[in-house]
Amino acid sequence: EADIYQTPRYLVIGTGKKITLECSQTMGHDKMYWYQQDPGMELHLIHYSYGVNSTEKGDLSSESTVSRIRTEHFPLTLESARPSHTSQYLCASSESSGRLNTEAFFGQGTRLTVV
Amino acid sequence: AQKITQTQPGMFVQEKEAVTLDCTYDTSDPSYGLFWYKQPSSGEMIFLIYQGSYDQQNATEGRYSLNFQKARKSANLVISASQLGDSAMYFCAMRGMRAAGNKLTFGGGTRVLVKP
């Protein structure tokens, strides 16, 4: 079973609020990722990290920001939430093996609704 | 650039029958890996099976098998003896050798509903 956790699972918040979605993994993985997924749709990479103090933008432009101060922790922050940010956010991690078959482990996701 | 296409938005399958989920891909990477994930209604992504571009044999994992046709750039998932618990979204994904951050690129998914 994967040891990657996301909190909260569900969040309903008002427009303009600042929010932080938490993601932690206990597997010691260097690589971590944030994906955004609308219901029943594909996953889009919005941020990734190679390791501590490394963060990169993904394929889909996002107003969110991330930080990686500790290996196990990769939080995502929205400074001012808007209804367009309503989506599911999935965090994942993987080893830095360089092998193509390295599995990505996913958290259970945070379903964000901005009203 | 990497692209995954899943042309079947949804499928019904009778319990105990087999179902094939289509996946085609496009990449300029000479070496790549293909993955299938299952996403139940609870939202988490569950890894099912992996196929490497240079693997000589099609991957199998329990009731899951992969019909890999490299020349056609397709990697279809076959689920045999479907069970009610197989009802979920299924995503095909790929990782190219040169992909930044070792990222996975996902297709649009196929929703499978198993009928009793």
Side-chain angles (χ1 to χ4, degrees):
Chain A
E1 189 167 313
D3 294 319
I4 178 164
Y5 308 100
Q6 290 184 242
T7 57
R9 286 290 315 278
Y10 303 92
L11 179 62
V12 180
I13 199 162
T15 297
K17 299 290 187 184
K18 177 180 179 179
I19 57 169
T20 297
L21 308 185
E22 302 287 350
C23 176
S24 295
Q25 51 96 4
T26 59
M27 296 173 282
H29 289 167
D30 285 326
K31 291 192 172 71
M32 295 190 75
Y33 312 85
W34 276 103
Y35 287 87
Q36 183 175 343
Q37 181 190 28
D38 290 333
M41 304 295 285
E42 68 192 280
L43 284 71
H44 294 283
L45 182 70
I46 52 174
H47 299 283
Y48 63 97
S49 168
Y50 288 103
V52 171
N53 294 326
S54 150
T55 61
E56 302 286 345
K57 294 281 190 185
D59 302 320
L60 181 68
S61 176
S62 174
E63 293 167 342
S64 59
T65 59
V66 292
S67 62
R68 190 89 183 276
I69 299 172
R70 302 197 314 265
T71 297
E72 62 270 22
H73 196 212
F74 191 41
L76 180 145
T77 298
L78 277 165
E79 290 293 333
S80 179
R82 293 207 300 269
S84 61
H85 297 139
T86 295
S87 190
Q88 171 160 258
Y89 294 84
L90 286 158
C91 180
S93 72
S94 67
E95 294 178 345
S96 292
S97 66
R99 297 192 311 266
L100 285 170
N101 65 347
T102 302
E103 177 187 344
F105 294 90
F106 283 81
Q108 289 194 297
T110 294
R111 296 194 184 188
L112 172 66
T113 302
V114 184
V115 297
Chain B
Q2 303 174 150
K3 185 173 174 60
I4 296 282
T5 303
Q6 295 180 253
T7 58
Q8 305 153 310
M11 297 184 71
F12 286 101
V13 59
Q14 202 66 40
E15 192 178 11
K16 300 181 184 176
E17 291 186 350
V19 61
T20 298
L21 308 184
D22 295 341
C23 172
T24 58
Y25 60 90
D26 192 21
T27 180
S28 56
D29 268 319
S31 183
Y32 50 88
L34 295 153
F35 300 75
W36 277 91
Y37 279 83
K38 172 184 178 181
Q39 187 180 43
S41 57
S42 50
E44 74 271 27
M45 298 286 285
I46 302 167
F47 167 73
L48 296 178
I49 195 168
Y50 167 83
Q51 178 82 45
S53 60
Y54 288 107
D55 291 345
Q56 294 297 313
Q57 292 188 320
N58 286 342
T60 61
E61 196 72 51
R63 294 188 297 112
Y64 305 108
S65 60
L66 217 150
N67 183 2
F68 179 49
Q69 298 186 52
K70 192 172 182 178
R72 295 186 177 185
K73 293 190 174 181
S74 74
N76 299 339
L77 176 71
V78 180
I79 306 174
S80 62
S82 296
Q83 302 171 357
L84 295 179
D86 293 335
S87 294
M89 285 287 290
Y90 289 82
F91 290 93
C92 181
M94 77 176 298
R95 172 185 287 131
M97 183 179 66
R98 297 189 291 235
N102 265 40
K103 65 181 181 182
L104 283 170
T105 298
F106 286 84
T110 296
R111 183 175 298 280
V112 172
L113 185 60
V114 180
K115 298 186 291 183

